[in-house]
Amino acid sequence: MDCLARLVIRIDFDHREVAILPKAPEDSGVPFNLGLSPFGIPTLPVNIRGHGRRVFSLDTGSQGNGDVESHLLDSLLEKGIAYDAGKALSLTVLKTEESRSARISEITLGDFSHRGLLFGESATNTLGVGYLSRFVMTFDFPRMRVYLKPSMRFAEPDRKNLTGAAVWRPEGVTTVYDVKSGSAADLAGLKAGDVVEQFDGKEAASLSLMAIHKSFCVPGRHTLRVTRGKEALEVVVVLTEHQDVSPNP
């Protein structure tokens, strides 16, 4: 934020573009006042239907919709405001860990509303790229505002990773970081450390991590060409839709 405080920045996920602007254009969308967390991270107030307003930090390093605090998740589950969606793998800078995930009945940001979005469990409330990419975002940091308007992903259904595998891209190399025991990826023979060269006939390097994650959520047969050491392998992962308890999946 020390670097960004004087800038106006637009993040356009539709066109995969970040732009530094002289000022926020008139058609930037609906304005929201930004707050700052104790760590200096921008925050927004989010209303959870049936529970009230909570402050969420904006986490552009998170691929998912975001996370909620453990005690908040417990409360939402107890009240029937969120619905258990099982365990999920979460990848951080330090490690991959398995944590709870749940679908929240409805969250609203101003007049923008989304139902049944998947959130993970963490020590803080955050909004990740999975949620933020539903908007074209224009940050006016000098005025501590963000302007939001719906992107092409605004109403896209929210699906769960069906593979049980976590993929990351250290130094530009698409790599399987972890595979959950007994998962579809495990049964197909995918191993941690495999380098993904192709996914369903497309070069992995040409796909964003978000695009690969979305493909991991689509039921059907998916073919991965991977390199394991000096060996080139073809791995076919068969994904089937999991039945969530949530009435709004």
Side-chain angles (χ1 to χ4, degrees):
M1 285 303 300
D2 289 341
C3 297
L4 301 177
R6 298 174 180 268
L7 301 178
V8 175
I9 298 177
R10 183 183 62 214
I11 303 178
D12 186 341
F13 291 93
D14 291 340
H15 298 94
R16 301 173 69 176
E17 177 183 82
V18 175
I20 298 176
L21 308 172
K23 64 179 182 177
E26 292 185 2
D27 64 346
S28 293
V30 180
F32 293 87
N33 291 326
L34 290 169
L36 284 178
S37 75
F39 302 102
I41 299 172
T43 64
L44 281 173
V46 175
N47 187 63
I48 302 174
R49 184 178 181 183
H51 192 83
R53 184 171 293 186
R54 289 297 182 105
V55 174
F56 281 69
S57 297
L58 308 188
D59 185 359
T60 55
S62 169
Q63 287 289 311
N65 291 310
D67 296 304
V68 294
E69 297 168 320
S70 297
H71 67 87
L72 175 58
L73 180 57
D74 289 337
S75 178
L76 297 179
L77 290 170
E78 182 181 347
K79 295 178 180 179
I81 297 170
Y83 302 86
D84 182 20
K87 299 286 188 178
L89 286 175
S90 59
L91 176 65
T92 70
V93 175
L94 300 177
K95 60 181 178 179
T96 293
E97 58 188 7
E98 193 175 58
S99 60
R100 292 185 296 172
S101 65
R103 291 191 183 274
I104 298 179
S105 293
E106 185 176 2
I107 65 171
T108 58
L109 190 55
D111 292 331
F112 298 121
S113 175
H114 289 91
R115 295 184 176 184
L117 295 185
L118 277 164
F119 278 79
E121 177 185 18
S122 184
T124 57
N125 298 323
T126 63
L127 295 175
V129 171
Y131 177 78
L132 299 177
S133 63
R134 295 175 182 272
F135 302 93
V136 176
M137 313 178 70
T138 303
F139 290 93
D140 186 343
F141 288 118
R143 293 175 176 81
M144 284 302 290
R145 290 179 183 173
V146 62
Y147 296 83
L148 302 179
K149 63 179 179 180
S151 71
M152 294 169 58
R153 288 199 65 242
F154 182 80
E156 187 175 279
D158 189 32
R159 293 183 174 272
K160 185 177 181 179
N161 185 338
L162 303 174
T163 65
V167 177
W168 67 333
R169 189 169 279 165
E171 299 181 1
V173 179
T174 307
T175 307
V176 178
Y177 188 85
D178 198 8
V179 177
K180 183 179 177 181
S181 177
S183 65
D186 183 35
L187 295 175
L190 203 63
K191 304 290 185 183
D194 286 350
V195 174
V196 182
E197 306 290 353
Q198 290 186 355
F199 186 88
D200 284 342
K202 297 180 180 178
E203 296 297 319
S206 69
L207 301 171
S208 67
L209 278 179
M210 182 178 290
I212 293 175
H213 173 77
K214 287 172 63 176
S215 297
F216 280 3
C217 303
V218 179
R221 294 170 60 89
H222 297 280
T223 302
L224 286 75
R225 293 189 179 275
V226 304
T227 302
R228 185 177 300 161
K230 295 182 179 181
E231 187 178 11
L233 302 169
E234 182 174 284
V235 178
V236 178
V237 183
V238 180
L239 303 181
T240 56
E241 187 74 84
H242 292 180
Q243 185 63 43
D244 283 332
V245 178
S246 167
N248 300 305

